Amino acid sequence: MSWAFEALGLARDADETQIKRAYARKLKTTRPDSDPHAFQALNEAYQTALQHAQYFSSNQEEVGDSASSVDPQENDALFPPQLLDSEASLPSAAGETAQQDVANIETPPRYFAFDAFFNELAAIARDRTESELSTWLNQHAELYELQLKAAVGDAVHDQLRRNELLFISDLHLQAIVDFFGFGIEPWLMERRHALQVIADERTLSYGELDRKPLRELKRPFQWPRALFMAMRPTFVAKTARLASLLHMDLNGWPSPLNREQSQFYCQLADPGYFGRWRFAVNGVRALIGAVAILLLLLIAAKGATEELLLTAGAWGLGLFVLFTAWNGAAWIKVKARNTMQRGNPTLQLVPCGLGVLALLLLMIPEYGAGLGGAVAAFSLLFHWQRVFQMLRFWLGAVWICGWLIERLLPTHPQSLPIIALAMIPILLTAFDALYARQHQVPLYVAAGNPWTQKASYLFLAGGFLFSFIFH
């Protein structure tokens, strides 16, 4: 047993306090980075001596007053068997046999209060200088054990991934990195850059000139203000784009950004979102439109007040339905694209089916034209990005099918433009399907293909020639 105390320069009856002080003195000259083998031997000697002292102290009460006068060199019964050694086989702490036995001794399990350590680390890194932080880290003697230091370093690195230490300065971060020995990875620098952008409001580095979207993301979420800000043109798109970029760099929503606020704008900017906030925004827009119509009618002073209110209300309801239908078409289009990617083309045929339904509704007396026109208009919302193609197909359908319409539906001459509207999604889907079949691609990929583009021009030119010849 004496080899452990000799390595620390102590007598065998040294207590825990003396052992710890001796170990701290030895650490000043024995560093793991300069001589890891000597450090390992010193650490094992410290652990062995400390366990010996703890066991001896715990048995003093059982032994009684006589135990306090027992010489450890004369009575090894007070010590745990696993700590007993042969003095003959250990001539000195520097001997080869001693080194082998030191290496064979299992280091007792260590308990390290990481939560308390990390909380104090974060506080010191925020409130003190980097030199004080380095001094504080070096004062933790237990961290000179290589295995424990590596485990604590991994835990600190994990906290960095969770954005818990990203708000400290570069010098403080470098002090932590130098002590634990892990490198500064690219993702860490990206997160620190994002946090610096949030702190300084330098949104230009993310391609945004206006600072208001970032300031809005940092505010606590209040739905009246959020709905009001969503009325501003392009504000939702800019705010959602900035929130997405920051979320990507930060791998989450750290404290400077409000999570609920960010998710609100990201949901509104997502065409696949069709939830409560979508309806709320459409309702506010419809209400603003109804109030504007009412003010115009009051200025014009046309009709009684009740009639003006009913007219404004009808306009507001119509706007709400229009906005909701527009968003609904975008939602169905996203769902259709996702369904097509999974190999099911059913939803991609919805516009074509609505066009056919609109043609069938025109057969209904009296209300057929209104119902068919509404369904045909809704079907066009799926292809709103192809407005010029739709216009060319519509003009061609009006000119080519005009004389057929007059013969098939002589009592509904006003149905001609509605039938032409219903033909648009049918023609678009037909030419897209031909292109997709020929090139063996999904139907949603064929949107905007050159075949449909050329067909729209040919349809327009053919309709013009047809109307010139037959009319």
Side-chain angles (χ1 to χ4, degrees):
M1 181 62 62
S2 60
W3 67 268
F5 292 91
E6 290 178 2
L8 295 173
L10 297 172
R12 290 189 60 178
D13 58 350
D15 57 14
E16 295 183 35
T17 302
Q18 294 173 334
I19 293 173
K20 292 180 180 180
R21 290 177 179 176
Y23 180 57
R25 287 195 301 269
K26 291 289 185 179
L27 286 176
K28 295 180 181 180
T29 57
T30 307
R31 304 283 299 202
D33 50 356
S34 58
D35 192 351
H37 296 289
F39 170 79
Q40 185 69 19
L42 175 64
N43 182 262
E44 291 179 356
Y46 165 71
Q47 298 291 341
T48 302
L50 188 63
Q51 188 176 9
H52 171 277
Q54 290 172 346
Y55 188 85
F56 180 75
S57 176
S58 64
N59 281 272
Q60 280 184 341
E61 295 181 359
E62 298 180 3
V63 175
D65 296 335
S66 62
S68 60
S69 60
V70 172
D71 185 3
Q73 296 180 352
E74 298 177 357
N75 188 0
D76 283 334
L78 297 179
F79 310 136
Q82 65 269 23
L83 295 182
L84 295 177
D85 60 348
S86 174
E87 295 295 329
S89 62
L90 295 177
S92 66
E96 295 181 358
T97 306
Q99 291 294 338
Q100 294 175 356
D101 287 347
V102 166
N104 293 330
I105 295 177
E106 295 183 357
T107 303
R110 302 294 307 276
Y111 171 76
F112 188 81
F114 176 75
D115 291 338
F117 170 81
F118 181 77
N119 292 334
E120 190 174 358
L121 171 65
I124 293 177
R126 287 193 304 265
D127 302 333
R128 300 185 185 180
T129 64
E130 66 278 4
S131 60
E132 292 175 325
L133 174 61
S134 299
T135 302
W136 178 80
L137 288 172
N138 290 319
Q139 288 175 349
H140 286 76
E142 62 272 23
L143 291 182
Y144 285 103
E145 182 182 346
L146 296 181
Q147 186 176 1
L148 178 62
K149 184 177 182 180
V152 175
D154 291 340
V156 172
H157 190 268
D158 184 63
Q159 294 296 328
L160 283 172
R161 287 188 177 275
R162 299 178 184 179
N163 303 326
E164 296 294 337
L165 279 175
L166 293 180
F167 298 96
I168 62 177
S169 68
D170 293 339
L171 295 177
H172 288 84
L173 178 62
Q174 190 63 48
I176 296 175
V177 169
D178 291 341
F179 181 80
F180 290 105
F182 53 80
I184 299 181
E185 301 173 356
W187 60 264
L188 179 59
M189 301 310 299
E190 291 176 358
R191 294 185 189 181
R192 291 183 59 79
H193 170 71
L195 288 173
Q196 197 65 38
V197 168
I198 295 174
D200 300 339
E201 296 185 352
R202 294 186 289 104
T203 56
L204 187 60
S205 60
Y206 281 91
E208 181 58 54
L209 298 176
D210 191 3
R211 297 182 179 181
K212 292 180 181 178
L214 178 57
R215 294 173 181 173
E216 191 66 20
L217 293 175
K218 295 162 67 174
R219 290 179 179 271
F221 179 74
Q222 298 176 342
W223 67 266
R225 176 183 174 85
L227 291 177
F228 173 77
M229 297 300 293
M231 297 300 105
R232 300 178 57 181
T234 71
F235 187 79
V236 170
K238 293 192 298 184
T239 307
R241 174 184 172 274
L242 182 60
S244 299
L245 293 175
L246 290 174
H247 180 270
M248 186 183 305
D249 286 348
L250 293 172
N251 193 30
W253 306 108
S255 55
L257 298 180
N258 185 276
R259 181 187 186 91
E260 193 173 2
Q261 186 91 302
S262 303
Q263 290 178 342
F264 170 80
Y265 286 102
C266 289
Q267 286 177 337
L268 288 183
D270 181 13
Y273 173 72
F274 201 60
R276 56 171 182 164
W277 294 122
R278 182 76 71 195
F279 291 103
V281 170
N282 289 341
V284 174
R285 289 173 177 171
L287 180 61
I288 294 174
V291 172
I293 294 294
L294 179 60
L295 292 176
L296 291 176
L297 293 176
L298 289 175
I299 294 174
K302 293 183 178 180
T305 304
E306 295 182 358
E307 296 178 354
L308 297 180
L309 290 175
L310 290 175
T311 303
W315 272 95
L317 180 60
L319 289 174
F320 178 79
V321 172
L322 178 62
F323 294 145
T324 304
W326 183 285
N327 299 136
W331 175 77
I332 294 177
K333 189 173 182 178
V334 171
K335 295 299 181 182
R337 181 181 293 110
N338 295 337
T339 304
M340 287 289 293
Q341 290 175 349
R342 293 192 295 268
N344 186 355
T346 304
L347 287 178
Q348 197 69 18
L349 301 176
V350 169
C352 181
L354 291 175
V356 175
L357 177 61
L359 292 176
L360 296 176
L361 290 174
L362 289 174
M363 302 296 179
I364 302 177
E366 296 183 5
Y367 301 105
L371 294 174
V375 174
F378 179 72
S379 68
L380 299 182
L381 296 177
F382 290 87
H383 302 289
W384 63 272
Q385 293 177 326
R386 307 165 70 178
V387 58
F388 292 107
Q389 287 186 11
M390 292 192 294
L391 180 60
R392 290 190 289 269
F393 276 125
W394 182 77
L395 291 175
V398 169
W399 289 334
I400 292 176
C401 301
W403 65 278
L404 292 174
I405 304 286
E406 293 174 357
R407 288 164 177 77
L408 293 176
L409 300 171
T411 58
H412 297 281
Q414 72 277 14
S415 301
L416 174 60
I418 299 176
I419 293 179
L421 283 178
M423 291 295 296
I424 293 175
I426 298 175
L427 293 171
L428 287 173
T429 303
F431 286 107
D432 287 350
L434 289 174
Y435 180 86
R437 180 180 179 84
Q438 180 66 27
H439 293 80
Q440 298 182 352
V441 296
L443 185 57
Y444 73 93
V445 176
N449 68 86
W451 284 19
T452 308
Q453 183 83 358
K454 296 176 181 178
S456 65
Y457 282 106
L458 292 175
F459 216 78
L460 176 62
F464 178 77
L465 293 176
F466 193 90
S467 63
F468 180 76
I469 295 173
F470 293 97
H471 293 280

PDB file of all heavy atoms in Angstrom, residues 197-212:
ATOM      1  N   VAL A 197     -26.102  37.722 -36.008  1.00  0.00           N
ATOM      2  CA  VAL A 197     -27.043  38.437 -36.886  1.00  0.00           C
ATOM      3  C   VAL A 197     -28.284  38.846 -36.106  1.00  0.00           C
ATOM      4  O   VAL A 197     -28.794  39.971 -36.242  1.00  0.00           O
ATOM      5  CB  VAL A 197     -27.422  37.545 -38.078  1.00  0.00           C
ATOM      6  CG1 VAL A 197     -28.616  38.128 -38.836  1.00  0.00           C
ATOM      7  CG2 VAL A 197     -26.240  37.401 -39.026  1.00  0.00           C
ATOM      8  N   ILE A 198     -28.786  37.948 -35.261  1.00  0.00           N
ATOM      9  CA  ILE A 198     -29.977  38.264 -34.469  1.00  0.00           C
ATOM     10  C   ILE A 198     -29.683  39.380 -33.480  1.00  0.00           C
ATOM     11  O   ILE A 198     -30.487  40.297 -33.299  1.00  0.00           O
ATOM     12  CB  ILE A 198     -30.465  37.005 -33.742  1.00  0.00           C
ATOM     13  CG1 ILE A 198     -30.927  35.958 -34.758  1.00  0.00           C
ATOM     14  CG2 ILE A 198     -31.604  37.338 -32.785  1.00  0.00           C
ATOM     15  CD1 ILE A 198     -31.288  34.629 -34.142  1.00  0.00           C
ATOM     16  N   ALA A 199     -28.516  39.310 -32.839  1.00  0.00           N
ATOM     17  CA  ALA A 199     -28.177  40.321 -31.838  1.00  0.00           C
ATOM     18  C   ALA A 199     -27.969  41.695 -32.463  1.00  0.00           C
ATOM     19  O   ALA A 199     -28.441  42.712 -31.940  1.00  0.00           O
ATOM     20  CB  ALA A 199     -26.929  39.886 -31.073  1.00  0.00           C
ATOM     21  N   ASP A 200     -27.275  41.754 -33.600  1.00  0.00           N
ATOM     22  CA  ASP A 200     -26.964  43.032 -34.244  1.00  0.00           C
ATOM     23  C   ASP A 200     -27.993  43.440 -35.301  1.00  0.00           C
ATOM     24  O   ASP A 200     -27.885  44.536 -35.854  1.00  0.00           O
ATOM     25  CB  ASP A 200     -25.583  42.963 -34.914  1.00  0.00           C
ATOM     26  CG  ASP A 200     -24.477  42.671 -33.906  1.00  0.00           C
ATOM     27  OD1 ASP A 200     -24.704  42.909 -32.707  1.00  0.00           O
ATOM     28  OD2 ASP A 200     -23.414  42.193 -34.329  1.00  0.00           O
ATOM     29  N   GLU A 201     -28.951  42.535 -35.591  1.00  0.00           N
ATOM     30  CA  GLU A 201     -29.986  42.778 -36.613  1.00  0.00           C
ATOM     31  C   GLU A 201     -29.345  43.073 -37.977  1.00  0.00           C
ATOM     32  O   GLU A 201     -29.802  43.938 -38.714  1.00  0.00           O
ATOM     33  CB  GLU A 201     -30.924  43.901 -36.196  1.00  0.00           C
ATOM     34  CG  GLU A 201     -31.735  43.570 -34.951  1.00  0.00           C
ATOM     35  CD  GLU A 201     -32.747  44.638 -34.617  1.00  0.00           C
ATOM     36  OE1 GLU A 201     -32.716  45.705 -35.262  1.00  0.00           O
ATOM     37  OE2 GLU A 201     -33.572  44.405 -33.703  1.00  0.00           O
ATOM     38  N   ARG A 202     -28.294  42.323 -38.305  1.00  0.00           N
ATOM     39  CA  ARG A 202     -27.626  42.465 -39.599  1.00  0.00           C
ATOM     40  C   ARG A 202     -28.250  41.481 -40.588  1.00  0.00           C
ATOM     41  O   ARG A 202     -27.634  40.500 -41.002  1.00  0.00           O
ATOM     42  CB  ARG A 202     -26.126  42.226 -39.453  1.00  0.00           C
ATOM     43  CG  ARG A 202     -25.412  43.274 -38.623  1.00  0.00           C
ATOM     44  CD  ARG A 202     -23.909  43.074 -38.620  1.00  0.00           C
ATOM     45  NE  ARG A 202     -23.515  41.907 -37.838  1.00  0.00           N
ATOM     46  CZ  ARG A 202     -23.145  40.753 -38.347  1.00  0.00           C
ATOM     47  NH1 ARG A 202     -23.142  40.573 -39.666  1.00  0.00           N
ATOM     48  NH2 ARG A 202     -22.786  39.743 -37.570  1.00  0.00           N
ATOM     49  N   THR A 203     -29.494  41.738 -40.951  1.00  0.00           N
ATOM     50  CA  THR A 203     -30.230  40.815 -41.821  1.00  0.00           C
ATOM     51  C   THR A 203     -29.724  40.826 -43.258  1.00  0.00           C
ATOM     52  O   THR A 203     -30.095  39.953 -44.043  1.00  0.00           O
ATOM     53  CB  THR A 203     -31.721  41.171 -41.820  1.00  0.00           C
ATOM     54  OG1 THR A 203     -31.877  42.552 -42.211  1.00  0.00           O
ATOM     55  CG2 THR A 203     -32.307  40.998 -40.430  1.00  0.00           C
ATOM     56  N   LEU A 204     -28.878  41.790 -43.605  1.00  0.00           N
ATOM     57  CA  LEU A 204     -28.366  41.857 -44.973  1.00  0.00           C
ATOM     58  C   LEU A 204     -27.550  40.618 -45.323  1.00  0.00           C
ATOM     59  O   LEU A 204     -27.505  40.204 -46.491  1.00  0.00           O
ATOM     60  CB  LEU A 204     -27.511  43.118 -45.152  1.00  0.00           C
ATOM     61  CG  LEU A 204     -27.030  43.414 -46.583  1.00  0.00           C
ATOM     62  CD1 LEU A 204     -28.216  43.598 -47.515  1.00  0.00           C
ATOM     63  CD2 LEU A 204     -26.134  44.647 -46.603  1.00  0.00           C
ATOM     64  N   SER A 205     -26.909  40.005 -44.339  1.00  0.00           N
ATOM     65  CA  SER A 205     -26.132  38.797 -44.603  1.00  0.00           C
ATOM     66  C   SER A 205     -27.026  37.627 -45.007  1.00  0.00           C
ATOM     67  O   SER A 205     -26.541  36.632 -45.546  1.00  0.00           O
ATOM     68  CB  SER A 205     -25.311  38.415 -43.371  1.00  0.00           C
ATOM     69  OG  SER A 205     -26.149  38.178 -42.257  1.00  0.00           O
ATOM     70  N   TYR A 206     -28.322  37.727 -44.759  1.00  0.00           N
ATOM     71  CA  TYR A 206     -29.288  36.725 -45.202  1.00  0.00           C
ATOM     72  C   TYR A 206     -30.111  37.210 -46.396  1.00  0.00           C
ATOM     73  O   TYR A 206     -31.145  36.636 -46.711  1.00  0.00           O
ATOM     74  CB  TYR A 206     -30.224  36.348 -44.049  1.00  0.00           C
ATOM     75  CG  TYR A 206     -29.608  35.394 -43.070  1.00  0.00           C
ATOM     76  CD1 TYR A 206     -28.917  35.853 -41.957  1.00  0.00           C
ATOM     77  CD2 TYR A 206     -29.696  34.026 -43.250  1.00  0.00           C
ATOM     78  CE1 TYR A 206     -28.337  34.984 -41.049  1.00  0.00           C
ATOM     79  CE2 TYR A 206     -29.125  33.135 -42.354  1.00  0.00           C
ATOM     80  CZ  TYR A 206     -28.444  33.624 -41.258  1.00  0.00           C
ATOM     81  OH  TYR A 206     -27.868  32.749 -40.366  1.00  0.00           O
ATOM     82  N   GLY A 207     -29.628  38.275 -47.031  1.00  0.00           N
ATOM     83  CA  GLY A 207     -30.285  38.768 -48.224  1.00  0.00           C
ATOM     84  C   GLY A 207     -31.549  39.562 -47.961  1.00  0.00           C
ATOM     85  O   GLY A 207     -32.387  39.703 -48.863  1.00  0.00           O
ATOM     86  N   GLU A 208     -31.708  40.111 -46.763  1.00  0.00           N
ATOM     87  CA  GLU A 208     -32.905  40.866 -46.423  1.00  0.00           C
ATOM     88  C   GLU A 208     -32.512  42.280 -45.989  1.00  0.00           C
ATOM     89  O   GLU A 208     -31.783  42.464 -45.021  1.00  0.00           O
ATOM     90  CB  GLU A 208     -33.669  40.165 -45.296  1.00  0.00           C
ATOM     91  CG  GLU A 208     -34.948  40.863 -44.885  1.00  0.00           C
ATOM     92  CD  GLU A 208     -35.903  41.021 -46.036  1.00  0.00           C
ATOM     93  OE1 GLU A 208     -36.225  40.012 -46.700  1.00  0.00           O
ATOM     94  OE2 GLU A 208     -36.306  42.177 -46.301  1.00  0.00           O
ATOM     95  N   LEU A 209     -33.005  43.269 -46.728  1.00  0.00           N
ATOM     96  CA  LEU A 209     -32.670  44.654 -46.419  1.00  0.00           C
ATOM     97  C   LEU A 209     -33.467  45.188 -45.237  1.00  0.00           C
ATOM     98  O   LEU A 209     -32.969  46.003 -44.462  1.00  0.00           O
ATOM     99  CB  LEU A 209     -32.917  45.534 -47.648  1.00  0.00           C
ATOM    100  CG  LEU A 209     -32.073  45.220 -48.892  1.00  0.00           C
ATOM    101  CD1 LEU A 209     -32.501  46.105 -50.055  1.00  0.00           C
ATOM    102  CD2 LEU A 209     -30.602  45.411 -48.602  1.00  0.00           C
ATOM    103  N   ASP A 210     -34.697  44.750 -45.104  1.00  0.00           N
ATOM    104  CA  ASP A 210     -35.584  45.253 -44.064  1.00  0.00           C
ATOM    105  C   ASP A 210     -35.331  44.511 -42.754  1.00  0.00           C
ATOM    106  O   ASP A 210     -35.264  43.274 -42.728  1.00  0.00           O
ATOM    107  CB  ASP A 210     -37.043  45.087 -44.508  1.00  0.00           C
ATOM    108  CG  ASP A 210     -37.999  45.838 -43.595  1.00  0.00           C
ATOM    109  OD1 ASP A 210     -37.527  46.518 -42.660  1.00  0.00           O
ATOM    110  OD2 ASP A 210     -39.227  45.740 -43.819  1.00  0.00           O
ATOM    111  N   ARG A 211     -35.197  45.244 -41.656  1.00  0.00           N
ATOM    112  CA  ARG A 211     -34.979  44.637 -40.356  1.00  0.00           C
ATOM    113  C   ARG A 211     -36.282  44.293 -39.635  1.00  0.00           C
ATOM    114  O   ARG A 211     -36.262  43.600 -38.616  1.00  0.00           O
ATOM    115  CB  ARG A 211     -34.151  45.569 -39.457  1.00  0.00           C
ATOM    116  CG  ARG A 211     -32.756  45.853 -39.987  1.00  0.00           C
ATOM    117  CD  ARG A 211     -31.998  46.745 -39.020  1.00  0.00           C
ATOM    118  NE  ARG A 211     -30.633  47.021 -39.481  1.00  0.00           N
ATOM    119  CZ  ARG A 211     -29.759  47.757 -38.812  1.00  0.00           C
ATOM    120  NH1 ARG A 211     -30.112  48.286 -37.640  1.00  0.00           N
ATOM    121  NH2 ARG A 211     -28.554  47.975 -39.303  1.00  0.00           N
ATOM    122  N   LYS A 212     -37.399  44.766 -40.161  1.00  0.00           N
ATOM    123  CA  LYS A 212     -38.670  44.557 -39.470  1.00  0.00           C
ATOM    124  C   LYS A 212     -39.042  43.078 -39.360  1.00  0.00           C
ATOM    125  O   LYS A 212     -39.586  42.666 -38.325  1.00  0.00           O
ATOM    126  CB  LYS A 212     -39.771  45.342 -40.172  1.00  0.00           C
ATOM    127  CG  LYS A 212     -39.602  46.849 -40.031  1.00  0.00           C
ATOM    128  CD  LYS A 212     -40.716  47.602 -40.732  1.00  0.00           C
ATOM    129  CE  LYS A 212     -40.511  49.108 -40.586  1.00  0.00           C
ATOM    130  NZ  LYS A 212     -41.563  49.876 -41.299  1.00  0.00           N
TER     131      LYS A 212
END
